[in-house]
Amino acid sequence: MTPAGAPTVFVIDDDANVRAAIEGMLKSVGLRSQSFGTAQEFLRSKPPDGPSCLVLDVRLPGVNGLDFQRELADAGVPIPIIFITGHGDIPMTVRAMKSGAVEFLTKPFRDQDLLDAIHQALDRDRQTRQRQAELDALRQCYKLLTAREREVMGLVVSGMLNKQIASELGTSEITVKIHRGHVMRKMQAESLAALVRMAAKLELAPGKKG
């Protein structure tokens, strides 16, 4: 039984022989895979819990692989893509890579070249998921702040001193210190530098109130 969170390689190719060959290769190195004959079949599948990537044929029935790449991006599906094709050309390759493809392989390609690209794609997806998980955790912490604490945080990360913040908010320096302590605790920030990095990740404008 495959453990939850294990990586999955999705393969979309209308050639059953190609799908079978890639699935067999992936199985031989212990990688889980799912294959589809069309892009529509892939869209109907359940997204995986763990890291994943997509091995995508450029020429597919109903939709061009490059157009499908754009559709996935527009839909907010950030899965790393490896293109495979029997009819590649330079403009096609450039378009795919500029749009974020991990690799563009022309058939027949070496198994090792595809495996290398797949491992690179899975590593990229792991990093993306890790960054997203960290951002989600930060957002949850930020939600715990009161409106005044958010004001204080915005001014703190802008570089203002407690005395200046107190003047800006029309309150006492002691009160600002208390709010600042709450912000550091709720955000789980060990230092001012860490809080500044958190604000940057949250894309908070320096000095933003509310």
Side-chain angles (χ1 to χ4, degrees):
M1 185 173 179
T2 307
T8 304
V9 180
F10 294 102
V11 182
I12 306 178
D13 196 305
D14 60 341
D15 188 326
N17 291 328
V18 171
R19 295 198 303 271
I22 294 176
E23 282 189 309
M25 178 196 67
L26 294 172
K27 185 176 181 180
S28 72
V29 295
L31 282 173
R32 176 173 61 179
S33 65
Q34 293 182 33
S35 65
F36 309 90
T38 67
Q40 289 71 28
E41 289 177 21
F42 169 75
L43 291 175
R44 289 194 294 267
S45 67
K46 182 183 177 182
D49 294 329
S52 61
C53 68
L54 176 59
V55 178
L56 179 61
D57 189 17
V58 173
R59 295 177 185 269
L60 290 169
V63 62
N64 177 283
L66 295 171
D67 291 337
F68 187 56
Q69 177 188 33
R70 188 179 66 249
E71 287 178 20
L72 289 175
D74 291 344
V77 181
I79 186 169
I81 296 174
I82 301 150
F83 280 104
I84 56 175
T85 182
H87 311 279
D89 56 38
I90 292 175
M92 192 183 293
T93 304
V94 170
R95 178 182 166 189
M97 300 304 284
K98 278 188 174 181
S99 296
V102 174
E103 186 58 275
F104 195 102
L105 299 173
T106 303
K107 302 172 185 175
F109 46 78
R110 294 190 315 133
D111 286 355
Q112 191 58 51
D113 289 339
L114 179 57
L115 275 176
D116 289 346
I118 286 170
H119 285 302
Q120 181 184 343
L122 291 175
D123 284 343
R124 179 188 294 187
D125 199 43
R126 285 188 189 96
Q127 291 169 12
T128 298
R129 287 168 179 269
Q130 178 64 29
R131 286 193 297 269
Q132 188 58 51
E134 291 172 357
L135 182 57
D136 290 344
L138 272 183
R139 285 173 174 160
Q140 289 302 314
C141 290
Y142 189 70
K143 283 181 180 179
L144 298 176
L145 302 183
T146 64
R148 179 46 62 95
E149 287 167 355
R150 292 182 184 184
E151 288 179 338
V152 170
M153 177 175 171
L155 296 171
V156 166
V157 300
S158 74
M160 292 177 69
L161 302 174
N162 289 345
K163 183 192 300 185
Q164 296 169 314
I165 295 172
S167 175
E168 174 76 18
L169 299 180
T171 188
S172 70
E173 191 172 345
I174 291 294
T175 300
V176 169
K177 286 182 179 178
I178 292 171
H179 285 313
R180 184 169 180 159
H182 290 167
V183 168
M184 298 296 283
R185 178 177 55 81
K186 290 180 181 179
M187 293 302 296
Q188 301 176 30
E190 297 178 355
S191 65
L192 174 58
L195 191 67
V196 171
R197 287 193 295 271
M198 290 174 180
K201 288 180 181 177
L202 290 166
E203 297 182 348
L204 302 180
K208 180 181 177 183
K209 298 182 184 182

